[in-house]
Amino acid sequence: MIQIKVINETNRFINKCIKNNINIYNIDYHKDYILVNIDENDYKTIKKLNYYSNISINKYYGINKIKTIIKKYKYDYLLLIIFLFIIYILSNVIVSIDIINESNTLNKEINIILKENNIKKYTFRKNIKELNKISDSILKNNRDILDFISIKKDGMKYIVRYEERIIKKIKEENNYCNIIAKKEGTITKIINTNGITSVIKGQNVKAGDVLITGEIKLNDEIKANTCANGIIMANTWYKVTIEYPMNKEIIEYTKNKQYNLKINNKYLFKQKYTNKKDKTIFKIKNIRFIKSNEYIIKNINYTKEEATKLAIEEAKNKLLDKIGKNNTIIDQKVLKESINNSKIELELFIDVNESIGELEYYKVGE
Amino acid sequence: MLDIIKSYFSKNNYYIIILNDKIIIKNYKSILNISDNEINIKLENIIYKIKGNNLVLKKIISNELEINGIIESVKKYDSNKSN
């Protein structure tokens, strides 16, 4: 059914319709025109019979109405569908992974294990069943380090909780031990939790000197033996040699970026930038939606002072990596410096406050 | 309402339903004339003269028609006699 608008000769129009047995389902009378509901099939006949009237289609009903609406708003609907599709994709993509544990000691390892099991950022989120399967498999393959692991999705992120497996070291009752100095130094702090302290604060010790003994003596007679325990801090010294370049190339990102699709490692659109770093935003099988950030390579020439400062910092960091980050560097002195082939070479004397105690087991009677 | 339903199922050759603001006629033969105040309709051998105000044709479906407006009177004439 359609609604037509008839202007001019409306009475003649009605009479013609009556004479020709054309069904009229409803007539709305207006000042200058009438709105008439008719069968769509009769429209051509009506137009022919009432050539003297100005007739036009005003409205469609039923399926035709839907068809005309779709035709009229096709681009709007298409945009809406694209928008909903994008929203669907975005809401199903994981943007962060939170690893929750009190000690955080295994976070790095857990991160690697999760990546191996395809629990990654910017991938489609998995359902609960899949996540349970993955957490079971991780637990099964890492029994030596994990007691429990759970992966849950919360909005656009995964929350990973785990419990580290604590292997209790059974103290061997028959083993007695001293704490000895592992290197030369001046004692600065003594924390004794078991055994008898053999040194005092400010005393210089050499490598191998007993710091806390396991022998419990009374009037120079050994009454009992134990495994000494405690922390002995001392000032120690290191001689470090380091090379640092006077010229360095650094990467600086510009504000230019390009979005692209990478299908089987081939770019869909032409790459705009030669120097660029790709970041995957999301991935569906072999198709990656990527963001390329342009960068420029800058050549920096350091002055002698700048290079020396940077070299010292690097030397300190390397030393702390070696002896442990819980130790502190008190002071440093440059013993020698020279410039060779655009590199500065430094010989440094570094003063460190570190724990120098290490266990040495012994047997009674030895 | 029941009268309307009953009339739809009755075996009469034609029927006229008069309501406050409309008249429904089934199996009319022809519309003789239409104006705001008067409409003449032929049914078999009878002519019905409907008088009122603001009379308008609302629906014409097969042999059924609906007239809307303020109905003042409906008179019946034998078409043979009037001729």
Side-chain angles (χ1 to χ4, degrees):
Chain A
M1 197 189 280
I2 54 168
Q3 187 181 67
I4 55 168
K5 188 177 183 178
V6 183
I7 305 168
N8 302 334
E9 304 278 353
T10 50
N11 283 337
R12 203 171 158 193
F13 165 84
I14 293 168
N15 285 329
K16 279 265 182 181
C17 288
I18 294 165
K19 270 183 196 168
N20 289 282
N21 293 325
I22 292 168
N23 287 342
I24 294 174
Y25 296 96
N26 190 37
I27 307 171
D28 281 334
Y29 294 85
H30 295 267
K31 198 182 170 187
D32 302 322
Y33 63 92
I34 55 168
L35 295 171
V36 184
N37 288 3
I38 56 159
D39 285 319
E40 203 179 342
N41 299 336
D42 292 333
Y43 181 66
K44 275 187 183 172
T45 324
I46 285 173
K47 274 277 244 187
K48 222 182 228 178
L49 291 169
N50 301 285
Y51 56 87
Y52 41 82
S53 297
N54 186 1
I55 300 170
S56 58
I57 295 173
N58 190 46
K59 223 187 249 180
Y60 286 90
Y61 294 103
I63 293 170
N64 284 330
K65 186 180 179 178
I66 297 164
K67 275 183 190 169
T68 46
I69 289 170
I70 289 171
K71 207 175 171 184
K72 196 176 171 185
Y73 298 106
K74 61 185 170 190
Y75 294 112
D76 302 60
Y77 290 129
L78 191 72
L79 277 174
L80 181 72
I81 290 165
I82 292 170
F83 175 74
L84 290 174
F85 180 69
I86 290 168
I87 291 288
Y88 172 77
I89 285 179
L90 288 178
S91 61
N92 278 284
V93 168
I94 293 297
V95 293
S96 80
I97 299 169
D98 289 357
I99 300 173
I100 299 169
N101 183 265
E102 280 175 12
S103 58
N104 297 332
T105 45
L106 285 178
N107 282 9
K108 270 188 186 176
E109 287 87 343
I110 295 293
N111 237 325
I112 295 163
I113 292 167
L114 290 172
K115 274 181 189 166
E116 281 168 2
N117 285 277
N118 213 18
I119 302 287
K120 292 176 194 168
K121 274 189 198 176
Y122 312 118
T123 53
F124 276 104
R125 66 175 183 185
K126 295 179 172 21
N127 60 35
I128 296 169
K129 215 175 172 182
E130 279 177 289
L131 290 176
N132 286 343
K133 211 174 163 185
I134 289 168
S135 52
D136 286 349
S137 137
I138 290 174
L139 194 63
K140 199 178 164 187
N141 296 327
N142 299 280
R143 277 276 176 211
D144 51 332
I145 55 164
L146 289 174
D147 253 348
F148 160 81
I149 187 163
S150 85
I151 308 163
K152 279 180 184 170
K153 56 183 179 185
D154 182 14
M156 290 169 81
K157 63 181 180 183
Y158 286 134
I159 293 176
V160 181
R161 289 172 204 275
Y162 72 90
E163 279 300 327
E164 191 185 344
R165 171 158 287 211
I166 298 161
I167 301 161
K168 286 180 187 169
K169 286 177 185 170
I170 301 159
K171 233 180 180 180
E172 289 176 41
E173 288 299 323
N174 292 331
N175 274 358
Y176 305 120
C177 57
N178 294 322
I179 288 184
I180 59 160
K182 64 182 169 191
K183 73 185 301 271
E184 191 182 352
T186 309
I187 307 294
T188 55
K189 199 176 182 182
I190 302 162
I191 304 165
N192 184 351
T193 52
N194 199 22
I196 307 292
T197 310
S198 314
V199 288
I200 55 163
K201 208 172 160 185
Q203 185 180 333
N204 289 326
V205 290
K206 285 177 189 168
D209 285 357
V210 176
L211 305 174
I212 303 172
T213 176
E215 292 174 340
I216 316 290
K217 290 178 182 173
L218 183 71
N219 300 328
D220 291 337
E221 196 185 330
I222 298 166
K223 291 285 181 189
N225 285 282
T226 184
C227 188
N229 199 3
I231 298 164
I232 307 287
M233 299 296 287
N235 280 352
T236 57
W237 309 272
Y238 289 88
K239 246 186 193 178
V240 177
T241 316
I242 189 153
E243 272 185 2
Y244 201 84
M246 301 285 284
N247 311 311
K248 209 174 182 183
E249 280 184 347
I250 61 155
I251 286 171
E252 198 173 283
Y253 286 96
T254 66
K255 285 181 181 175
N256 298 332
K257 56 192 171 190
Q258 185 192 5
Y259 291 95
N260 208 337
L261 279 172
K262 210 173 177 183
I263 306 160
N264 287 330
N265 290 327
K266 281 180 185 170
Y267 293 100
L268 186 67
F269 304 108
K270 199 184 169 189
Q271 287 289 96
K272 279 186 194 171
Y273 314 114
T274 38
N275 290 332
K276 48 136 186 92
K277 195 179 178 189
D278 292 345
K279 194 176 176 187
T280 305
I281 293 172
F282 67 84
K283 180 187 165 191
I284 310 167
K285 294 196 174 172
N286 288 335
I287 305 163
R288 284 169 192 266
F289 183 63
I290 58 154
K291 186 170 101 173
S292 303
N293 289 314
E294 190 200 25
Y295 64 80
I296 47 169
I297 300 166
K298 274 190 174 177
N299 212 335
I300 291 181
N301 292 321
Y302 295 116
T303 61
K304 193 184 157 194
E305 287 73 28
E306 284 172 336
T308 308
K309 204 175 169 187
L310 290 165
I312 291 171
E313 277 310 306
E314 195 171 303
K316 280 157 81 176
N317 287 335
K318 276 186 178 172
L319 181 64
L320 284 178
D321 282 342
K322 195 180 158 191
I323 62 171
K325 300 253 180 192
N326 52 341
N327 299 310
T328 46
I329 290 171
I330 301 163
D331 197 14
Q332 71 279 328
K333 268 177 194 166
V334 180
L335 299 177
K336 265 187 203 172
E337 67 176 21
S338 58
I339 297 170
N340 281 326
N341 300 327
S342 302
K343 281 180 182 174
I344 190 160
E345 272 182 30
L346 298 179
E347 196 180 302
L348 298 169
F349 182 80
I350 301 175
D351 192 0
V352 183
N353 188 244
E354 64 171 318
S355 168
I356 56 160
E358 70 177 358
L359 281 177
E360 185 196 54
Y361 288 95
Y362 68 90
K363 280 182 184 170
V364 178
E366 268 184 355
Chain B
M1 191 62 175
L2 274 171
D3 291 341
I4 298 170
I5 297 164
K6 221 187 255 178
S7 60
Y8 264 93
F9 294 102
S10 67
K11 286 177 182 174
N12 294 336
N13 288 339
Y14 66 87
Y15 66 78
I16 300 170
I17 300 165
I18 305 167
L19 299 164
N20 282 346
D21 55 352
K22 68 172 84 164
I23 287 186
I24 299 162
I25 302 165
K26 195 180 172 185
N27 290 337
Y28 72 96
K29 287 284 172 202
S30 61
I31 300 168
L32 300 175
N33 79 305
I34 307 172
S35 72
D36 281 1
N37 307 318
E38 192 179 295
I39 296 175
N40 293 334
I41 292 156
K42 195 179 177 188
L43 294 103
E44 291 188 333
N45 296 323
I46 300 155
I47 294 167
Y48 277 89
K49 192 178 267 183
I50 302 155
K51 281 192 172 181
N53 288 322
N54 301 326
L55 297 176
V56 287
L57 208 57
K58 190 71 181 165
K59 262 185 211 174
I60 310 155
I61 304 164
S62 304
N63 289 320
E64 187 182 315
L65 65 88
E66 186 185 312
I67 296 157
N68 284 12
I70 301 157
I71 317 292
E72 284 175 353
S73 65
V74 181
K75 283 181 182 173
K76 186 175 154 185
Y77 298 95
D78 191 326
S79 66
N80 295 330
K81 276 182 188 177
S82 65
N83 290 335

